[in-house]
Each structure stands twice: as C-alpha cells, then as structure tokens.
Amino acid sequence: MKYLKKSSLLAMLFLLVAACSSDDEPIFQDDALELPPFETMMADFDAFTDNAGSGKAVVSYLDKAPKSNWNTARVVIGVWNVTLFTTLAVPVTSFRTAFLHEPVRIGDDMWQWTYTVEGFGGEYTARLTGELVNEVIVWEMYVSRSGIEAFDEFLWFMGESARDGSSGHWILNQGPDRQHAMLRIDWVREMEEIGTIRYTWVREFTDDQSDDLYRNSYLEYGLIEGDYDAYFDAHVYEADLQDFVDVRIEWNRDLYFGRILAPHFYEDMDW
C-alpha cells in the first residue's frame, strides 16, 4: 500500500454568487461577493477517515467490510486528506477564516478581505481579493507572516471562477521560499453540490531541482447516479513500478457500502 505515499496534495477552491446590474453600474453594486461554503474547497473524505463526522454509519461499515479492501481505499484517500491540513494548513485555514470577516470594496467590481490568522507557531496576515474581469471572477490570496520565521507577503494561490459560479479552477503555490505552482484544483458545480473536483499535482521540480516524477498525479471526486452515488479516481505515480497506476473507488454516501478497482494492487480487473 505504498502507491500514494508521496502524492501529497491539497485541496482548495472558491465559488461565488454574482448579482445582476445594468450596463451603466458596477456588476455587484453595494453587495460584496459571496464566498461559497468551505466544503467546496475539498472532496468529501469523511467516509474514509477514523474520526468521520458520519459516525455510526462508518463504524458499522468498518465492522462488516473486508479489512484489507477497506484499508486499501482508506490509504488512497487518507494521505491526500492529511496533507490538506499539514503541508497546506496555512492557506487552507486562511481561506476558512475569510468567512468570519466582512470585505471592503476597493474598486467598481473588486472586493478585498483582510484579516489575521493565528496558529502554526506564528501570526499570519491574509489578504484575499476577488474581481470581475469580463465574464470570470479572478481570485488572489496573499499571505505574510510576522515574528519568528517571518516572510513578506506573497501570492499563495490564485484562481478563476465563472461569473455564474458554475465552474472554476485554483492554482496553489508551494510556499514563501518556493513560489512556483504545486497544485491545481478544477471544479464543476451541479445545483447546490460540487459535481466534480480534481486535485492535480503540477509541480515540475522537487526541492532539490530534480524532475518531480509525481507530476500529473491526480485525485478526482465526483457524484454519479445509481446505488454507488459518489466516486474517487486516483491516478498516481508508483515509485516501485516506476509508472502511473489507477484506482477507482465507488460508494454510497448514505449507507457507506462500496467497492474498489485497483488492478496493480489486486492483480485483476475485478471490483
């Protein structure tokens, strides 16, 4: 079960609801951009974690599921979930904290959230902007840190979303010392839910400047119809095989029964 040990990813994104206006007035008039629920930043990992919020349903499934199959699925999802709140904890928390603050208007169709975030051994200042440009909203999150291990403000992530809030993408930079793209998040909204969201590892070089073999690995979460109404698709580089491998997990979000297809692990094409 080593095939995801270095596929560290985060997940992070925004949706918005745009108001209408006449051609002679700012698009958003006096109403600020509305941030989407924090849940739109990440896929639903709860069914695959020990401390899932779904509680009893997950425990019941753990009691009945073939443990090797369950643990295989949990390893695939768990590594990505943990990374969201470790390696990428600061930008994730910075976005979450935006919901506690009111933005100010700094242009006809541009708003800005500015606030501090305490934790992780220091104090951070976050500055999030959203601006309508043609038919898309351009988002930028700048973060700085004061005190020990301080760093100047830099662009930690950026993105675009459709004016109607139906789709978008985010690009996350690695950090203040390595300001290059590391993760891309593409999402599509269906009604009030995220229909699909894909996290793609886009970093070109490792910290020692060698080629990042895990580049183009991805984890995709989506909704489907039928008894299995949700899925994860993982496409990741397997160091032992020196090649990419694929895993498909499907499950029922209410009852938590599911299945997994992992040919490289089970050595067959059976669910």
Side-chain angles (χ1 to χ4, degrees):
M1 303 182 190
K2 300 178 180 178
Y3 48 92
L4 277 179
K5 60 185 178 182
K6 288 193 177 180
S7 297
S8 302
L9 295 187
L10 138 70
M12 218 172 276
L13 58 82
F14 296 78
L15 299 171
L16 59 97
V17 179
C20 298
S21 73
S22 70
D23 293 339
D24 297 325
E25 298 175 329
I27 296 297
F28 297 105
Q29 299 183 15
D30 294 327
D31 296 325
L33 304 185
E34 182 179 343
L35 294 173
F38 175 71
E39 290 73 17
T40 59
M41 289 180 52
M42 57 182 294
D44 180 7
F45 295 99
D46 277 356
F48 300 92
T49 57
D50 287 328
N51 59 345
S54 36
K56 183 171 62 176
V58 175
V59 173
S60 175
Y61 179 64
L62 277 169
D63 290 341
K64 299 177 181 179
K67 293 301 173 63
S68 62
N69 297 348
W70 169 261
N71 287 330
T72 300
R74 187 167 59 179
V75 167
V76 172
I77 305 307
V79 172
W80 302 61
N81 186 35
V82 169
T83 301
L84 225 62
F85 296 101
T86 54
T87 306
L88 303 173
V90 173
V92 169
T93 302
S94 297
F95 173 62
R96 184 194 291 271
T97 307
F99 294 89
L100 304 177
H101 300 273
E102 294 294 328
V104 295
R105 191 175 196 156
I106 59 174
D108 285 346
D109 298 317
M110 187 173 187
W111 294 81
Q112 178 172 274
W113 290 253
T114 304
Y115 47 89
T116 59
V117 181
E118 295 185 0
F120 312 108
E123 182 176 274
Y124 300 82
T125 299
R127 183 168 64 87
L128 169 66
T129 63
E131 180 182 18
L132 178 69
V133 179
N134 296 323
E135 291 300 309
V136 302
I137 307 297
V138 177
W139 298 94
E140 294 183 344
M141 171 67 86
Y142 296 86
V143 179
S144 61
R145 172 173 170 150
S146 59
I148 300 174
E149 298 182 354
F151 55 79
D152 294 332
E153 181 182 83
F154 79 103
L155 180 63
W156 206 321
F157 60 82
M158 68 214 80
E160 295 182 356
S161 59
R163 179 176 168 181
D164 62 2
S166 61
S167 62
H169 75 267
W170 287 98
I171 297 176
L172 176 79
N173 292 326
Q174 183 169 345
D177 297 328
R178 297 178 177 85
Q179 298 178 30
H180 48 248
M182 181 176 68
L183 182 74
R184 179 182 172 108
I185 304 172
D186 292 275
W187 54 269
V188 176
R189 188 180 185 186
E190 295 180 2
M191 303 299 290
E192 297 303 315
E193 293 187 282
I194 297 298
T196 60
I197 180 170
R198 175 179 289 198
Y199 308 98
T200 304
W201 193 254
V202 297
R203 190 175 68 166
E204 296 186 25
F205 303 103
T206 64
D207 294 344
D208 62 7
Q209 295 304 303
S210 60
D211 290 340
D212 193 329
L213 299 178
Y214 298 89
R215 185 185 180 196
N216 296 325
S217 294
Y218 67 79
L219 176 70
E220 179 177 297
Y221 164 81
L223 302 179
I224 51 179
E225 296 183 355
D227 292 338
Y228 305 100
D229 59 0
Y231 72 88
F232 279 113
D233 276 336
H235 176 75
V236 296
Y237 182 78
E238 168 54 74
D240 293 339
L241 299 176
Q242 297 185 15
D243 199 1
F244 284 85
V245 298
D246 296 285
V247 178
R248 172 85 173 191
I249 302 168
E250 297 179 351
W251 77 100
N252 183 287
R253 290 184 294 163
D254 294 325
L255 302 178
Y256 290 96
F257 61 83
R259 60 185 186 176
I260 180 171
L261 181 66
H264 75 287
F265 185 79
Y266 294 108
E267 298 183 343
D268 59 43
M269 293 299 297
D270 297 332
W271 285 97

